[in-house]
Amino acid sequence: AQTVTQSQPEMSVQEAETVTLSCTYDTSESDYYLFWYKQPPSRQMILVIRQEAYKQQNATENRFSVNFQKAAKSFSLKISDSQLGDAAMYFCAYRSETDSWGKLQFGAGTQVVVTP
Amino acid sequence: ETGVTQTPRHLVMGMTNKKSLKCEQHLGHNAMYWYKQSAKKPLELMFVYSLEERVENNSVPSRFSPECPNSSHLFLHLHTLQPEDSALYLCASSQWDSTGEQFFGPGTRLTVL
C-alpha cells in the first residue's frame, strides 16, 4: 500500500515571501498522479496543483509550483509571493494509475500560517 | 448550484438518533466518495461508488450505511453512532477514468453527543 508523508505539521511565512512544503511517498508503481489540495478555514478542499508521474516537467499554477523528484519519491510545493489568503491546511495526495476508482491517499497535512 | 454540495453543513445528534447526510454533484461525474476527517488524523476514505455501484468499503462500521440512488446523489445514513464518530464528513466526486482529481463538497460537521 502506498503511504504519503508530510513531515511539517506547520509552516509560517511572511506575506510576499516564499514557503516550501515537503511531501514524500512510498510506492512501487511507475505510473501515478500526485496532488496538492488546500483546505482553508471554510473546510472546503480545493485542488491546487496536479502532477502526472510520467511528466518530467514540474507543474506550475500561477504562484504555486512543485518540485517533483521521482527517484527520490518527493513532491514539494512552493508558494511564491505568499498572500494572506494562502493560509490553510495543505494536503499532499497520491493516486495510482492502476486504480480505476480514483482513490486518493492523503498525507497528514501541513498548516500554513501567513503573517503580515 | 455548481460543484459538489452537502447538506446539512452542521449536525448534532444523540447516540440513538437516525440521520442522513446528503451529497449532490453537478459536474457530470460518475464516481462519488465519502471521507471522514477527524482532528489530528489524515482523511480516511470510507466508501467509493462508481456508476452507482459500491466498489469499496474501507472496513467501515455498519452504523454507517451509504446509498447512491443515481450518479448525482450520495447519502450516508447514520444510526446508533458513537461520540468518536464526531468528525467532518466530506463528499467528493470525480470522473473515474480520468486523471483522478476529486472535487470536494464543503463537508458536514457532525457532533455525536
Side-chain angles (χ1 to χ4, degrees):
Chain A
Q2 296 84 17
T3 57
V4 178
T5 302
Q6 293 179 250
S7 58
Q8 306 152 315
E10 184 172 306
M11 295 287 284
S12 186
V13 61
Q14 280 194 310
E15 264 187 301
E17 297 296 311
T18 295
V19 64
T20 299
L21 312 183
S22 67
C23 172
T24 59
Y25 55 94
D26 182 26
T27 184
S28 58
E29 299 176 332
S30 58
D31 294 321
Y32 48 87
Y33 303 95
L34 296 165
F35 306 88
W36 279 98
Y37 279 88
K38 167 185 176 181
Q39 189 178 39
S42 68
R43 310 301 275 174
Q44 177 88 48
M45 294 277 280
I46 303 163
L47 178 67
V48 175
I49 200 163
R50 182 187 80 213
Q51 175 81 42
E52 291 91 339
Y54 65 85
K55 289 186 178 178
Q56 292 187 335
Q57 186 173 5
N58 289 323
T60 299
E61 286 289 342
N62 301 312
R63 297 181 295 106
F64 298 87
S65 61
V66 298
N67 183 4
F68 173 49
Q69 301 290 327
K70 191 172 184 179
K73 298 178 184 176
S74 170
F75 183 59
S76 61
L77 175 70
K78 184 169 80 172
I79 307 174
S80 303
D81 185 25
S82 297
Q83 301 174 0
L84 293 177
D86 295 332
M89 183 72 86
Y90 286 80
F91 293 95
C92 178
Y94 172 103
R95 183 217 165 180
S96 166
E97 166 68 24
T98 58
D99 187 328
S100 297
W101 316 121
K103 289 183 295 181
L104 295 178
Q105 184 71 39
F106 284 89
T110 297
Q111 182 71 49
V112 170
V113 176
V114 182
T115 56
Chain B
E1 294 277 16
T2 59
V4 181
T5 58
Q6 289 186 244
T7 55
R9 294 293 307 276
H10 301 272
L11 179 62
V12 179
M13 60 187 288
M15 289 191 285
T16 58
N17 291 158
K18 289 185 180 181
K19 296 287 184 183
S20 296
L21 310 185
K22 178 183 176 182
C23 175
E24 184 173 359
Q25 60 96 1
H26 309 267
L27 301 167
H29 290 160
N30 55 16
M32 297 185 77
Y33 312 80
W34 278 118
Y35 288 89
K36 177 183 179 182
Q37 187 177 27
S38 306
K40 313 282 185 189
K41 293 174 85 172
L43 273 77
E44 302 171 58
L45 178 65
M46 301 175 71
F47 299 103
V48 180
Y49 274 82
S50 180
L51 301 173
E52 302 151 41
E53 290 189 22
R54 188 192 310 179
V55 296
E56 180 103 0
N57 171 359
N58 270 2
S59 304
V60 179
S62 59
R63 57 186 184 269
F64 295 92
S65 175
E67 178 190 1
C68 187
N70 56 60
S71 60
S72 299
H73 293 86
L74 184 65
F75 295 89
L76 188 63
H77 304 299
L78 317 170
H79 63 98
T80 59
L81 295 192
Q82 304 298 312
E84 59 265 29
D85 296 323
S86 298
L88 181 72
Y89 288 85
L90 291 166
C91 174
S93 71
S94 75
Q95 195 65 17
W96 66 266
D97 54 353
S98 73
T99 51
E101 53 259 57
Q102 294 179 14
F103 295 81
F104 285 80
T108 294
R109 170 67 65 188
L110 174 67
T111 302
V112 182
L113 302 176

